[in-house]
Amino acid sequence: MIDELLGHHGDRDALPGLVDLAVNVRAGTPPAWLREEIAAADLARYPDQAEALRAVARRHGRRTDEVLLTAGAAEAFVLIARAFAGRSALVVHPQFTEPEVALRVAGHRVERLLLEWPFVLDPRLVDPAAELVVVGNPTNPTSVLHPAAVLRGLRRDDRLVVVDEAFADCVPGEPESLADGDLAGLIVIRSLTKTWGLAGLRVGYVLAAADVIDALRSVQHAWPVSAPALAACVAVSRPAAVAEADAWARKLETDRSGLAAELAALPGVRVVPGGRASFLLLDTGRPGVRERLHDHGFAVRRGETFPGLSGDWVRVAVRDPATNHRFTAALAAVVSEES
């Protein structure tokens, strides 16, 4: 039986009437120009992936046979679990839980590597016998960005390393992304959900060697990505869109640093250092903080559904400075109530 906590996601913590810091989708998205391109998709015809495949491949300097379009990153994890059934798997936690769910449902033997503060991956801790290793970069929920060299170093002749890069475009220039380099022994998963506000559209893609892509495609159903989702792939892969996302990532750096400094100044609160994604992970040092924040008008992501974390932990989305400051004041009030 799958642990029901593994199926919990931030959208269930985003309660109506509260300021949503539980979901990591960029505020104010999708932009108007992207909405227009999506709305112009031809719904009367079966989806044709050719243009979208070329656009994504061009964006990363790849061949089209190294790209697989998916109905969000979640579908990618299911395809990996099905295509490479029977392999012993290791999931680096705490991280997004859907990969473990998909692997367990498909019958994989799943081992957990539970990282501890400050949640930096030590490759020496990875079981040499693991045939499938899954890690996020930057990792959800820790916001830690692992060096590309460390992740490449996990490869073995009989192993596939799956890197979830759903939040890679939160980092200006994406210096640690594996999307543009040698893909041997790697499966890189990307999502359009977070930066472009397309959670409801379900769109993402996989980058891997051609034989791996063939294996994944063999277990994917027909027409898996809708015409509007394909239009989004084309639109956000253009140089102007990539530049827009990078500009947002640079602003995010400033906003995130400011929020981290404010939160770290609160008594008893620890902020995971070096966060590089659109969220921060906090150890509040006390249970029940999430519920008490509701009284102050804020929804945050509960931490205990991530393996390795307890109810003392919460994940907080980075917003504009004014919202960040208001949240810090709310958390300060909750902390003072406990003193």
Side-chain angles (χ1 to χ4, degrees):
M1 180 178 293
I2 305 300
D3 184 345
E4 65 177 14
L5 289 180
L6 292 179
H8 182 91
H9 299 297
D11 57 325
R12 292 169 60 184
D13 291 327
L15 301 179
L18 301 180
V19 177
D20 178 13
L21 303 185
V23 176
N24 295 315
V25 173
R26 176 163 65 117
T29 53
W33 62 264
L34 181 53
R35 288 179 183 272
E36 292 172 3
E37 299 227 22
I38 292 171
D42 186 352
L43 303 184
R45 300 175 59 188
Y46 284 94
D48 182 349
Q49 293 192 2
E51 184 181 5
L53 282 170
R54 288 194 296 269
V56 172
R58 188 163 50 245
R59 187 248 190 271
H60 293 289
R62 311 232 63 96
R63 302 191 311 269
T64 56
D65 63 358
E66 297 173 317
V67 180
L68 181 74
L69 305 179
T70 62
E75 189 203 11
F77 296 124
V78 172
L79 298 178
I80 291 167
R82 290 175 178 171
F84 300 103
R87 298 198 179 199
S88 59
L90 181 143
V91 181
V92 179
H93 282 296
Q95 80 151 3
F96 185 50
T97 52
E98 280 304 304
E100 180 168 331
V101 171
L103 289 165
R104 290 189 181 278
V105 168
H108 290 259
R109 304 181 306 279
V110 180
E111 177 185 356
R112 291 176 176 176
L113 172 55
L114 299 179
L115 302 184
E116 298 179 352
W117 183 278
F119 303 106
V120 175
L121 176 61
D122 181 346
R124 295 172 296 182
L125 299 178
V126 175
D127 186 345
E131 299 168 307
L132 198 63
V133 176
V134 184
V135 61
N137 204 41
T139 302
N140 175 17
T142 65
S143 201
V144 170
L145 182 66
H146 304 293
V150 170
L151 300 182
R152 291 189 186 281
L154 297 177
R155 295 180 295 178
R156 303 287 187 274
D157 289 341
D158 57 349
R159 172 189 291 169
L160 281 172
V161 179
V162 180
V163 183
D164 177 6
E165 291 194 356
F167 294 95
D169 50 4
C170 291
V171 185
E174 303 184 12
E176 306 303 336
S177 172
L178 302 180
D180 301 341
D182 176 19
L183 289 173
L186 297 172
I187 299 177
V188 179
I189 299 173
R190 304 281 295 216
S191 170
L192 306 189
T193 296
K194 319 303 179 184
T195 297
W196 297 108
L198 299 176
L201 196 59
R202 310 309 309 138
V203 58
Y205 52 89
V206 176
L207 304 171
D211 61 328
V212 174
I213 294 297
D214 286 343
L216 297 175
R217 186 176 289 110
S218 72
V219 295
Q220 189 178 40
H221 63 81
W223 305 294
V225 182
S226 69
L230 294 174
C233 282
V234 173
V236 304
S237 296
R238 295 184 184 123
V242 174
E244 179 178 323
D246 195 67
W248 166 71
R250 294 183 189 283
K251 183 179 185 302
L252 173 66
E253 277 197 319
T254 301
D255 294 342
R256 184 181 55 238
S257 296
L259 176 60
E262 288 187 17
L263 294 172
L266 299 181
V269 174
R270 294 194 302 168
V271 182
V272 175
R276 300 299 302 276
S278 54
F279 49 86
L280 293 169
L281 182 64
L282 317 180
D283 177 7
T284 68
R286 47 186 67 75
V289 165
R290 180 175 63 88
E291 292 83 354
R292 288 193 289 280
L293 281 167
H294 293 170
D295 298 331
H296 294 266
F298 287 93
V300 296
R301 173 66 160 88
R302 63 193 290 197
E304 68 271 23
T305 66
F306 293 103
L309 301 182
S310 70
D312 294 2
W313 294 83
V314 297
R315 190 193 69 197
V316 180
V318 178
R319 301 301 189 208
D320 61 275
T323 303
N324 294 341
H325 186 69
R326 285 170 46 220
F327 170 73
T328 302
L331 183 57
V334 170
V335 169
S336 67
E337 292 166 4
E338 293 291 305
S339 302

